């Protein structure tokens, strides 16, 4: 990797920061955040403005350019990468280190008195704006919205915003029509006495209208906004895609519908002016519901007194609870995904000893097997295919510079998943193709105990996921070990592989209580820098639990694994398991054998079936 | 209980709410909170203004009186009691029920436009003022501070503020002199760049100066404030007690000291004017440190730009970590406390079958045995002595109307503790003096499993207590059971039995990470309304744990029980315990026998010793 030369670019940016063509008054600093206008996790090439201006293309980072300085804030995952990719015009601000100033403090320290700091109001979320603006104002500076994105003005070969065809999902996939979803949303709006709801997150638009797209990688979404009134539906979306007869039919654009279900299609770019018109039309006490993560521009379109902001929208919460058809789809997707992984691991078992399989080859092979499955769409995230020390890099993605060859001497960690038309998968298995050491087995077994402790946990209805996080760590803690990431995240149904509002983490963010039908991952791990990484991840469905008693009639919940891929018994030190844990493993493997075995059989994949049968032999404790 | 007749009182209060003698402009509503000016948990009789005006004397509740209404907000513990104690001038607002309005919403619904709502600015904490004031303002009303407490103006026989003699604690109890505590505090102040620190919580004043008092029940504190500057120490305290030679010697009031350790003693009532003078003297960037729970009056004395507010003060955090001498004192106190309880339980075992022991008699007997121990000062809270259905009332305190006779047919729950000059205790044991049912034993054993899971937990340095809460519930959850309170609270060292900033709760309040030397309670329970209550509580000390590995060199922690009172083995279904849990019980009982046995022997309490030996026989699993 050689750094991007940014001298000329920064010169140009500093010019437009003073140009009356773009700014009413010159700005002394300009902030280039990572995100897009929807706060998406994965962004389109046209939104990679921070990577364009700096060269640093990691997933997290904020650039700030002043007359004299250019600085980049990023976290520990990216210190090395950012240092390699940026030239010496840039100062790397290592977040999480004690001496690293916050963006606000740094700005205050370098700016001349009474400065103006510019930012694109469409990219910065309202809550961040508020914090930053307050800090700057208290030091005598001003945060100002710059309508035109200044990076875009100098990005001459900026790629076009993607505008790919849409996929319509019928009731057999979604279980609920978009009309019924609108009805349910309006009823939530009535409850809270709001008149309008603004949909800004891309997965929320996709879910609401039972549509999918491919405008960004991994997340099957498309660029759009929606504004739902009690009697109106406005969808802001660009391109020919709305000419597609299947889409027109799906949205009933050409039918004579009751007016309250008639969708008005408007240009993507007109959201702001339309929302400003809504804002201007409001009577006292009328409210507009927005996520508190919506952009500053859209939030400001509604006068403050009329805003109703919540951390999670009613769509986010409804979307998290999967209905019967979505759950069945998720089950089907996970069966197909398991078939692909049985094929892969069987193949690796034969090929790894030859010394010809690299991390990239293994990742490609996994994709190849998945793509053979029905309704495969794409991967659900960049495959983490890592062997030996690379496994200890939690967000590793193999690239030619780091690509390692799998061997019989190292642990291999594969964290991968796919989008199928009926569901989204995300699974991690940690394998050894030779003979693991006693220490590797010991660590693996602690991680497994944590995985089981969460998966088999029974807890009252209304419990928040963060209350389960310590169960995953207890066996590791007993030996002085731990892992520095959360235990699980919400998973979408043929949607984003990471979604709110639930999760399992020691970070007590505002997670919503778990309820039956929610789907999360269960993925404890252990990482030894420079040596190996271990993670065992299943996607699990929240289901009602049968219990002996029923305190206050609250009811109980537990998890059902949707992922059905064998956990390598070779890595387990069975004598560290309790009998209950041992039974859990055997029951799980029994189910893998039955369900995935039948599908392997049906698909005529006999060799993989033999592998599955071998890998699901029951364990016995010798104590 | 017959309700207090408040018609005349309310008439008088409504008059002073309009009287120009007390209010600049008439107020249309007046708020009477529970607390005192220090946000104390236990308050002096002169501060029981809410009880005086309403008749309701539970520990939590807020009264609001308007021209036409009088309403009382309290929580589920007190619905019955409040309904009994208040006459029908009052409306009971049941907090926690769905349809109960908040105080703000209720005020907005009943007040005429543009109303003024009065409150004593010394009683309302700044953070509550802020929330309430904002809500009222957005509805067109104003929250206004009324200097003179309006309840006091009509409370003709209001008791005097207590002003009892002080107790000085020497180094053998405190481990650190008040001078060294001031030095450490000033160093924290320098770190945060603040010039002044205002001590408002009574236990913080007591801890800082190594003094104790008895102005309120149960908490060994005295009414005082302190303001610490970098070169000055001001102690605001009333009465002759500063004339006591022991106190003058302890505080070196008559010595020639370096000026920065010279304590200026000022009247308790002069805190506001002194603080206003400090506020007026500040130069730009000079800061004053206050708890965000300090009263509105004191907080407002410092202009906003100069305030440095934190949820926990440096004294609160330093006080939580006990030094070696404090820990030794706590150990001694717990040994004496265990002696008293062995005597009590031995006595109960003989007396209960006679049918003459009531809850009140048992509580008195417990106090009698405790008072025989060296350095006994008083109880640390009102004894919860409850049998049968009364045990299910979590904050029960026996009164003649509810007093039940202990019998061989019911479970008996005793939650009690004391203040000794060397430490504070808090212990709960649940006993059966006949033959418990299989179901009672089953529930008891789940609670015990939870108690052990917390007590034996090993966790990384830096872990917050709320991450351990689910360990206490897991065995109950597995069977569909639970308890509706937190698992533990911080415990002071001859100070408040409930103290911050640490604890073990599913409520993720801003708890500080656990560290070695902190002391908390471990008290899971199970309560069956109308039948019985079970709770097993030890006070435990956070200590370093030895572990096989040491991830990132962080070190690990665990707990050591300070409470050494047998857990009734008759109540345990040993076959529900794992071998590890069974060993824990046996090891614990071994330690009780050794440590408490030696002390019983020393004190010549032979019958209680025999009881202890019987109660600490090892358990054996038959599986």
């Amino acid at each position: 990797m050689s750094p991007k030369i940014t001298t000329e670019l920064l010169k140009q940016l500093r010019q437009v920061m003073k140009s009356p063509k773009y700014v009413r008054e010159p700005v002394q600093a300009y902030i280039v955040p990572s995100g897009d206008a929807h706060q998406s996790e994965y962004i389109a090439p046209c939104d990679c403005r921070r990577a364009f201006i700096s060269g640093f293309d990691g997933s997290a980072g904020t650039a700030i350019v002043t007359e004299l300085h250019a600085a980049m804030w990023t976290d520990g995952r990216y210190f090395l990468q950012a240092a390699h990719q940026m030239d010496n015009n840039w100062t790397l601000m290592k977040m999480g280190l004690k001496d690293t100033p916050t963006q606000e403090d740094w700005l205050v320290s370098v700016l001349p008195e009474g400065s103006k700091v510019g930012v694109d109001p469409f990219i910065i979320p309202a809550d961040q704006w508020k914090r930053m603006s307050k800090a700057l104002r208290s030091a005598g500076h001003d945060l100002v919205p710059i309508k035109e994105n200044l990076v875009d003005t100098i990005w001459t070969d900026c790629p076009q915003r993607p505008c790919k065809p849409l996929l319509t999902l019928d009731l057999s996939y979604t279980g609920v029509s978009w009309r019924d979803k609108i009805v349910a949303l309006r009823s939530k709006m009535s409850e809270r006495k709001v008149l309008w709801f603004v949909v800004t997150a891309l997965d929320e638009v996709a879910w609401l209208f039972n549509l999918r797209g491919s405008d960004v990688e991994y997340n099957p979404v498309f660029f759009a906004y929606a504004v739902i009134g009690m009697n109106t539906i406005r969808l802001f979306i660009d391109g020919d895609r709305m000419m597609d007869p299947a889409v027109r039919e799906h949205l009933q654009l050409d039918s004579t519908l009751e007016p309250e279900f008639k969708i008005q299609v408007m240009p993507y770019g007109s959201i702001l002016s339309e929302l400003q018109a809504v804002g201007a039309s409001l009577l006292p006490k009328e409210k507009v519901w927005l996520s508190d993560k919506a952009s500053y521009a859209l939030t400001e379109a509604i006068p403050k007194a009329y805003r109703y902001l919540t951390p999670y929208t009613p769509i986010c919460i409804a979307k998290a609870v999967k209905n019967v058809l979505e759950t069945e789809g998720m089950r089907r997707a996970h069966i197909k995904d398991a078939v692909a992984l049985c094929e892969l691991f069987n193949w690796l078992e034969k090929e790894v000893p030859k010394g010809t399989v690299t991390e990239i080859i293994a990742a490609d092979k996994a994709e190849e097997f998945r793509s053979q499955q029905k309704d495969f769409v794409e991967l659900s995230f960049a495959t983490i295919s890592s062997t030996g020390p690379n496994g200890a890099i939690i967000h590793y993605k193999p690239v030619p510079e780091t690509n390692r060859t799998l061997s019989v001497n190292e642990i291999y960690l594969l964290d991968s998943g796919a989008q199928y038309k009926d569901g989204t998968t995300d699974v991690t298995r940690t394998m050894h193709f030779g003979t693991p050491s006693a220490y590797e087995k010991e660590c693996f077994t602690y991680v497994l105990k944590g995985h089981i402790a969460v998966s088999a946990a029974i807890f009252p209805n209304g419990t928040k996921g963060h209350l389960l996080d310590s169960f995953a760590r207890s066996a590791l803690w007993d030996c002085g070990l731990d892992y520095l990431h959360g235990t699980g995240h919400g998973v979408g149904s043929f949607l984003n592989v990471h979604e709110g509002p639930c999760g399992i983490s020691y970070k007590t963010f505002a997670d919503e209580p778990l309820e039956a039908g929610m789907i999360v991952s269960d993925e404890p791990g252990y990482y030894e820098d420079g040596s190996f990484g271990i993670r065992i991840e299943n996607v699990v469905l929240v289901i009602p639990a049968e219990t002996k008693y029923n305190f206050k009639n609250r009811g109980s919940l537990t998890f059902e694994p949707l992922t059905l891929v064998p956990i390598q018994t070779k890595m387990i030190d069975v004598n560290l398991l309790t009998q209950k844990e041992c039974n859990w493993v055997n029951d799980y493997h029994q189910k893998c054998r039955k369900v995935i075995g039948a599908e392997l059989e049906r698909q005529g994949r006999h060799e993989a079936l033999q592998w599955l049968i071998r890998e699901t032999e029951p364990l016995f404790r010798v104590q």
Side-chain angles (χ1 to χ4, degrees), chain A residues 239-298:
Chain A
D240 300 345
R241 45 196 179 182
M242 298 310 284
M243 293 297 106
D244 178 343
V247 173
R248 298 195 72 79
E249 167 73 25
H250 175 82
L251 296 178
Q252 296 178 268
L253 294 182
D254 306 310
S255 324
T256 43
L257 273 177
E258 305 93 303
E260 68 267 33
F261 294 111
K262 191 87 198 151
I263 297 175
Q264 296 166 260
V265 178
M266 299 182 156
Y268 177 72
S270 67
I271 176 74
L272 183 61
S273 55
E274 286 296 325
L275 209 53
Q276 283 166 334
V278 166
S281 75
L282 295 166
L283 299 174
K285 301 215 169 177
E286 291 185 348
K287 295 270 181 190
V288 178
W289 196 342
L290 286 140
S291 161
D292 66 4
K293 315 256 165 347
S295 70
Y296 174 74
L298 295 193

Side-chain angles (χ1 to χ4, degrees), chain A residues 1-77:
Chain A
M1 273 190 268
S2 60
K4 174 164 182 169
I5 304 304
T6 59
T7 310
E8 187 52 35
L9 279 179
L10 288 172
K11 198 175 135 196
Q12 289 172 15
L13 181 62
R14 285 169 178 141
Q15 271 162 3
V16 294
M17 282 163 60
K18 291 179 288 197
S19 157
K21 194 170 157 199
Y22 302 113
V23 292
R24 212 172 296 178
E25 286 183 86
V27 295
Q28 284 70 46
Y30 188 66
I31 305 176
V32 187
S34 274
D36 67 9
H38 307 271
Q39 290 306 305
S40 306
E41 183 183 5
Y42 295 96
I43 58 177
C46 61
D47 287 318
C48 298
R49 299 180 180 96
R50 185 253 302 151
F52 167 75
I53 193 73
S54 70
F56 166 54
D57 67 0
S59 74
T62 298
I64 303 185
V65 176
T66 68
E67 191 55 45
L68 298 171
H69 305 275
M72 175 70 67
W73 280 258
T74 190
D75 63 62
R77 291 175 291 170

Side-chain angles (χ1 to χ4, degrees), chain A residues 409-438:
Chain A
N409 303 314
E410 286 183 344
I411 289 179
Y412 176 63
L413 184 160
L414 179 73
D415 184 351
S416 60
Q419 300 287 1
Y420 302 89
K421 221 177 136 183
D422 39 15
T424 303
T425 67
D426 180 1
V427 46
T428 309
R429 287 295 178 269
T430 304
M431 318 280 284
H432 203 294
F433 299 105
T435 307
S437 72

Side-chain angles (χ1 to χ4, degrees), chain A residues 59-103:
Chain A
S59 74
T62 298
I64 303 185
V65 176
T66 68
E67 191 55 45
L68 298 171
H69 305 275
M72 175 70 67
W73 280 258
T74 190
D75 63 62
R77 291 175 291 170
Y78 293 117
F79 292 166
L80 268 181
Q81 181 180 333
H84 280 307
Q85 293 183 323
M86 299 192 305
D87 68 11
N88 53 22
N89 287 302
W90 290 84
T91 308
L92 179 57
M93 296 293 188
K94 297 181 174 182
M95 288 165 67
L97 299 198
K98 230 179 99 185
D99 295 332
T100 305
T102 63
Q103 293 161 25

Side-chain angles (χ1 to χ4, degrees), chain A residues 256-475:
Chain A
T256 43
L257 273 177
E258 305 93 303
E260 68 267 33
F261 294 111
K262 191 87 198 151
I263 297 175
Q264 296 166 260
V265 178
M266 299 182 156
Y268 177 72
S270 67
I271 176 74
L272 183 61
S273 55
E274 286 296 325
L275 209 53
Q276 283 166 334
V278 166
S281 75
L282 295 166
L283 299 174
K285 301 215 169 177
E286 291 185 348
K287 295 270 181 190
V288 178
W289 196 342
L290 286 140
S291 161
D292 66 4
K293 315 256 165 347
S295 70
Y296 174 74
L298 295 193
T299 307
E300 281 296 300
I302 305 301
K304 200 169 170 187
Y306 300 93
R307 287 177 212 155
Y308 180 72
L309 304 181
T310 56
Y312 295 114
T313 70
I315 296 185
C316 174
I317 293 169
K319 174 167 65 63
V321 183
K322 276 69 176 174
N323 60 44
V324 175
L325 285 171
E326 287 172 320
T327 308
E328 277 178 17
M330 285 294 266
R331 275 188 225 281
R332 284 197 306 275
H334 281 81
I335 292 171
K336 293 182 285 188
D337 211 56
V339 165
L341 286 189
C342 288
E343 283 282 12
L344 175 76
F345 291 132
N346 175 52
W347 181 83
L348 286 175
E349 221 171 75
K350 290 182 302 178
E351 299 299 321
V352 167
K354 300 179 188 161
T356 52
V357 183
T358 65
E359 295 167 339
I360 293 177
I361 290 173
D364 290 346
K365 199 77 189 172
E367 181 165 1
E368 181 191 323
F369 283 123
R370 283 190 161 106
S371 68
Q372 293 165 3
Q373 295 298 314
K374 192 182 163 220
D375 279 343
F376 171 85
V377 178
E378 61 173 332
L379 298 187
S380 56
F381 59 97
T383 300
I384 300 176
S385 170
S386 57
T387 188
N390 288 342
I393 303 166
I394 295 171
H395 290 90
Y396 180 77
K397 177 192 159 181
V399 290
E401 290 84 351
T402 62
N403 195 18
R404 237 175 129 79
T405 302
L406 278 64
S407 89
V408 294
N409 303 314
E410 286 183 344
I411 289 179
Y412 176 63
L413 184 160
L414 179 73
D415 184 351
S416 60
Q419 300 287 1
Y420 302 89
K421 221 177 136 183
D422 39 15
T424 303
T425 67
D426 180 1
V427 46
T428 309
R429 287 295 178 269
T430 304
M431 318 280 284
H432 203 294
F433 299 105
T435 307
S437 72
Y439 177 61
E440 289 167 338
K441 287 171 69 174
E442 183 186 358
C443 294
F444 183 93
T445 308
Y446 296 145
V447 173
L448 176 61
K449 286 166 86 81
H451 179 94
I452 296 171
V454 169
S455 196
I458 293 174
F459 48 91
N461 246 318
T463 301
K464 292 182 171 190
H466 69 257
L467 291 171
L468 309 179
D469 185 74
S470 299
F471 291 155
R473 298 176 200 274
S474 181

